[in-house]
Amino acid sequence: MKTLFHYNWLVREEWYQWCEEVSEEELLKKRTGGIGGILETLFHILDVEWSWIRVLQGKADFKGTFADYNSLEKIRELDARFKAEVEEFVANWDSSMEDRVLVSADKDGSEYRDRWGEVMRHIIAHEIHHIGQLSVWSRELKREPVSADLMGRDLGPLR
């Protein structure tokens, strides 16, 4: 699991670099599918990752909106702000945490339960899903997407 978080962080950084070569207009443009445009998707990835990690730690959820972070620079700053806490939680993950139960309330107020391991795998899959959307949008812009290849990324233990 730690390897896949590390993979997502490396790919995300490569997408930030990719965005440096694209106009702000294209980065903000609403696109078909997904939750908005390129920058809004990157913001959404961060929001989901940090919010779930905070919930698992019993901390308050992040309440920021894309309107507050609607530039590449602001999103990178937000990522840097969240990263230390997320990386520490992931680095300290061990098998004893897998079956801990998170009790949450759904949007309609109904209670549901998830195992912590399930939440962690959801965070990983969620980002990979949205990175796929970025890849499609990249092709629409006639640009080469960031490689999604896991191989050759030196994904050893977290440093």
Side-chain angles (χ1 to χ4, degrees):
M1 188 164 355
K2 292 176 185 182
T3 299
L4 290 174
F5 270 94
H6 193 192
Y7 162 81
N8 277 348
W9 298 332
L10 288 172
V11 170
R12 187 186 315 161
E13 180 55 38
E14 290 175 18
W15 275 106
Y16 293 152
Q17 293 168 12
W18 180 96
C19 286
E20 292 171 357
E21 305 298 321
V22 177
S23 72
E24 186 172 288
E25 178 183 357
E26 288 292 347
L27 294 175
L28 292 170
K29 182 179 177 180
K30 293 286 185 195
R31 308 223 171 246
T32 302
I35 55 116
I38 293 168
L39 287 182
E40 191 169 2
T41 297
L42 289 167
F43 169 80
H44 175 67
I45 289 167
L46 290 176
D47 177 23
V48 167
E49 179 180 81
W50 199 54
S51 293
W52 275 114
I53 297 294
R54 290 188 61 81
V55 166
L56 291 178
Q57 296 178 90
K59 296 179 179 178
D61 190 3
F62 173 65
K63 299 294 183 199
T65 66
F66 178 64
D68 301 323
Y69 301 95
N70 59 359
S71 74
L72 179 58
E73 179 182 350
K74 289 177 183 177
I75 288 172
R76 283 181 122 163
E77 288 170 3
L78 187 65
D79 194 346
R81 189 175 115 205
F82 293 171
K83 185 76 176 269
E85 184 175 342
V86 173
E87 197 167 40
E88 180 181 355
F89 185 81
V90 171
N92 289 312
W93 180 267
D94 66 60
S95 60
S96 72
M97 300 161 84
E98 177 72 31
D99 291 321
R100 290 183 189 172
V101 175
L102 172 68
V103 179
S104 301
D106 216 341
K107 290 178 183 177
D108 66 2
S110 61
E111 184 179 284
Y112 68 93
R113 299 170 181 270
D114 284 303
R115 291 178 310 124
W116 280 29
E118 198 84 354
V119 172
M120 295 293 278
R121 286 182 288 282
H122 169 74
I123 296 168
I124 292 165
H126 175 264
E127 182 158 351
I128 292 169
H129 161 75
H130 284 298
I131 292 303
Q133 291 175 320
L134 293 177
S135 296
V136 169
W137 295 336
S138 173
R139 296 280 188 207
E140 288 176 354
L141 292 171
K142 309 287 189 250
R143 302 210 54 231
E144 186 72 24
V146 170
S147 172
D149 199 345
L150 187 131
M151 305 297 285
R153 289 187 177 272
D154 190 25
L155 295 171
L158 291 177
R159 292 157 185 66

